[in-house]
Amino acid sequence: SSSAASDVYKRQMLYLTLVQYKNEESRELILNTLDNAKEFTLEYHSEYIWFALTKYPDEVYEGLKENIKIPDWKKSEFEYQLKEKKDR
């Protein structure tokens, strides 16, 4: 449904915005999400966070991305999306 698509977009934007703060508070919020998300929601939160950290890396987030478990094919897909947007 369009509501579900809207929710996905909002979550993606939340993490893309959050990582741009590049401070200890944003790191703690990300860690809290990764530590406390239920199994069925952890998968997509992990994917959105990994994407955001890839797009907006910063030393304050060092070590986070490496500990996020998402499939290699999904990482490749995200990296391709980021490259495509950069090339435009």
Side-chain angles (χ1 to χ4, degrees), residues 15-32:
Y15 292 118
L16 286 169
T17 303
L18 181 63
V19 299
Q20 291 181 68
Y21 281 96
K22 300 177 181 182
N23 60 24
E24 201 55 43
E25 290 85 355
S26 60
R27 180 186 173 90
E28 287 302 315
L29 285 168
I30 290 169
L31 282 170
N32 189 29

Side-chain angles (χ1 to χ4, degrees), residues 3-18:
S3 177
S6 175
D7 288 347
V8 166
Y9 177 77
K10 287 176 187 174
R11 281 189 215 102
Q12 289 171 332
M13 292 308 298
L14 168 74
Y15 292 118
L16 286 169
T17 303
L18 181 63

Side-chain angles (χ1 to χ4, degrees), residues 8 12 16 47-48 50-52 54-55 73-88:
V8 166
Q12 289 171 332
L16 286 169
E47 291 175 359
Y48 304 151
W50 193 92
F51 183 84
T54 302
K55 184 167 180 153
W73 68 266
K74 193 69 167 176
K75 291 178 185 177
S76 296
E77 183 181 297
F78 286 152
E79 288 165 349
Y80 179 79
Q81 289 174 14
L82 290 168
K83 184 183 180 312
E84 282 291 300
K85 289 181 180 174
K86 194 182 288 184
D87 289 346
R88 287 183 190 167

